[in-house]
Amino acid sequence: MAIKLVETGIPGVDDLCGGGIPQGSVVVVSGPPGVGKSNLVLQFLYNGAVKDQEPGVLFMVEESLKNVREYANEFGWDINKLENEKKMAIIGQAICVKGYSTGTTETLKEVVKEIGAKRIGLDSLTLFQYLFRDKDSRRLNILNFVQQVKDSGCTTMIVSEQHGTISNMQYADEHFIADGYIELFWNRYREKNERCFRVVKMRGCKINPDVRPMEINREGVVVYPTQVPLSLAEQP
């Protein structure tokens, strides 16, 4: 049986993923601060609600709801309208992990059911680092959370902090646990920093793993699937 792909609708991303993201999969979007992780996940949810009639839930751990809506408006994304139409929901509270009462485990399930969500965005996994200092406990609880999300049947993108350069990238448990892994990072080109994009893995898909340039313009994230970043191009 052929894998059903969910299009992100983000310019260039689906080309590099082999046509889209496998339906029901969990994809981790990693990178350093300010590179565009949250933007990409929000754009994935917005496109689903507007273009594909797939309602989405954004689960926020660190950012305020007010900031998210204001940020979306800068790109012309009317999140308030989608919320009123039950095409999108934003939850602004911490995740509840077994043994820690930082929220309610039922909240996400309830909202997914209420609006008939097909997509989920989690921003971010940082909370697990604070709650579980022990590596084995952190990995187990991330695995449990990922399984809960997969049980919902939704196609999910999860933001994860990551540091390093293309030649010295630091990997975490979520990169191995997830079905897909998209890496965003900065590369230095002369006096400027350049945003770069790479699909590291996407189970069931024939990906293009090459590094490609990325930018954030007035309409959101744009990836250029046939170009080479200036910082990696051969110099004459």
Side-chain angles (χ1 to χ4, degrees):
M1 181 181 295
I3 296 176
K4 183 174 182 180
L5 299 178
V6 173
E7 295 183 354
T8 67
I10 302 171
V13 173
D14 295 325
D15 299 277
L16 297 174
C17 288
I21 295 172
Q23 187 178 55
S25 63
V26 175
V27 177
V28 169
V29 180
S30 290
V35 75
K37 303 181 300 297
S38 298
N39 192 307
L40 189 144
V41 171
L42 181 57
Q43 196 168 341
F44 164 71
L45 295 176
Y46 178 81
N47 287 343
V50 173
K51 299 178 180 180
D52 298 316
Q53 301 304 308
E54 291 193 350
V57 178
L58 178 62
F59 204 99
M60 302 296 301
V61 174
E62 298 175 320
E63 192 65 81
S64 72
L65 278 70
K66 180 175 180 291
N67 289 346
V68 172
R69 295 187 179 98
E70 290 178 351
Y71 185 69
N73 286 336
E74 294 180 7
F75 299 100
W77 306 339
D78 193 343
I79 301 298
N80 289 326
K81 181 175 182 292
L82 293 176
E83 289 180 290
N84 292 333
E85 295 174 347
K86 301 294 184 181
K87 293 181 179 179
M88 183 176 288
I90 303 177
I91 306 172
Q93 67 180 72
I95 303 170
C96 179
V97 184
K98 185 177 181 181
Y100 294 84
S101 184
T102 58
T104 170
T105 54
E106 298 303 316
T107 301
L108 185 56
K109 292 181 180 179
E110 290 173 356
V111 176
V112 166
K113 183 177 180 180
E114 179 183 348
I115 70 171
K118 301 297 182 183
R119 302 187 183 195
I120 294 175
L122 168 63
D123 192 358
S124 67
L125 280 179
T126 303
L127 182 66
F128 287 87
Q129 297 176 356
Y130 298 143
L131 293 181
F132 304 103
R133 298 297 182 181
D134 177 76
K135 182 178 180 180
D136 291 337
S137 296
R138 179 178 180 272
R139 182 182 178 88
L140 178 61
N141 280 277
I142 290 177
L143 181 61
N144 289 339
F145 178 76
V146 168
Q147 189 57 54
Q148 289 182 28
V149 172
K150 290 177 71 70
D151 289 344
S152 73
C154 295
T155 308
T156 304
M157 279 192 175
I158 299 177
V159 171
S160 173
E161 290 291 338
Q162 184 180 24
H163 302 277
T165 64
I166 186 173
S167 61
N168 185 29
M169 199 63 67
Q170 301 174 20
Y171 298 102
D173 295 329
E174 57 267 23
H175 302 135
F176 301 95
I177 293 171
D179 302 303
Y181 169 28
I182 292 174
E183 195 171 73
L184 311 183
F185 56 94
W186 296 102
N187 244 20
R188 191 73 176 173
Y189 177 67
R190 296 181 179 176
E191 74 283 359
K192 297 181 179 180
N193 284 318
E194 182 180 32
R195 286 184 171 91
C196 294
F197 177 101
R198 177 168 66 174
V199 181
V200 179
K201 73 172 182 177
M202 196 68 64
R203 289 173 186 159
C205 295
K206 186 177 181 181
I207 64 170
N208 180 344
D210 294 333
V211 177
R212 293 296 182 238
M214 166 187 145
E215 70 172 359
I216 300 177
N217 60 26
R218 293 181 179 179
E219 297 180 352
V221 170
V222 176
V223 179
Y224 299 94
T226 62
Q227 297 183 20
V228 177
L230 294 173
S231 54
L232 298 180
E234 293 184 2
Q235 299 299 319

